[in-house]
Amino acid sequence: MIALFVPAMIAAAAPQSFHAGPVFPAYGQIATVDSDMPLPASTVLKVAFEVSDQAKPGTINRGLDSVARFINMNVAAGLAEKNVRVAIVVHGKAGIDLLQQKAYAARTDGAANANAMLIDQLTAHGVEIYLCGQSAAGLGIAKQDVLPTVKMALSAMTAFALLQQQGYSVNPF
């Protein structure tokens, strides 16, 4: 009985250690960490994230929120926002989370796309978001149904290859 209680207590306490970040206060909550890995202020990060899992209708996509967290935590740790360059490559069913409201609602029993505001904020801060064209075709997603700040790529594979040629590392998560 105690063994079940302790993990529940730890899980319930964990969110209290997280707080709003400096770039996206409403998204990507962060924890302050006493890190043993130096992060010089001159560091430039260029990272491509992969998002393939669709969020439950009407909720924020965890992969998109993780990008906000990545930017928030690195800026909070002392990097200039301009030195944290991020691209997101979306494929699979996560493509639905990139749809404009009318198209999103048609696929999710009328739910509101909770990701639209986050996507607008991410792209306003320089994040490039690419939708895999092959996934879009497979899901029947037309380019005009995608949020206007999202770009269509030939494929996720091609997008990652091109981003790596531009110096982006691929996030392992």
Side-chain angles (χ1 to χ4, degrees):
M1 177 94 161
I2 292 175
L4 296 175
F5 182 70
V6 173
M9 282 181 24
I10 292 169
Q16 294 175 353
S17 63
F18 285 80
H19 55 85
V23 181
F24 306 103
Y27 304 102
Q29 289 197 342
I30 59 173
T32 302
V33 175
D34 183 14
S35 177
D36 293 318
M37 181 179 273
L39 184 62
S42 61
T43 300
V44 175
L45 299 172
K46 291 178 78 175
V47 182
F49 283 76
E50 175 182 21
V51 176
S52 61
D53 293 330
Q54 178 185 5
K56 291 181 183 176
T59 66
I60 298 292
N61 185 299
R62 185 171 182 213
L64 298 174
D65 193 58
S66 291
V67 171
R69 177 176 299 103
F70 179 80
I71 295 168
N72 275 339
M73 69 181 169
N74 284 291
V75 170
L79 296 186
E81 183 180 344
K82 68 178 182 162
N83 288 345
V84 184
R85 301 179 195 150
V86 179
I88 305 170
V89 179
V90 179
H91 64 97
K93 290 200 173 200
I96 293 168
D97 292 334
L98 305 182
L99 294 176
Q100 294 186 48
Q101 183 52 43
K102 184 177 177 182
Y104 183 86
R107 293 170 181 258
T108 59
D109 294 326
N113 188 350
N115 298 289
M117 187 177 293
L118 173 55
I119 289 167
D120 284 346
Q121 288 187 29
L122 288 168
T123 56
H125 285 270
V127 175
E128 300 281 337
I129 302 176
Y130 297 96
L131 174 58
C132 170
Q134 303 304 301
S135 292
L139 293 169
I141 294 175
K143 189 173 182 176
Q144 65 266 20
D145 291 333
V146 177
L147 290 163
T149 57
V150 173
K151 300 173 182 178
M152 189 72 71
L154 175 62
S155 71
M157 295 177 286
T158 303
F160 279 119
L162 292 171
L163 288 165
Q164 286 179 313
Q165 289 176 10
Q166 295 170 27
Y168 284 78
S169 63
V170 176
N171 186 314
F173 295 96

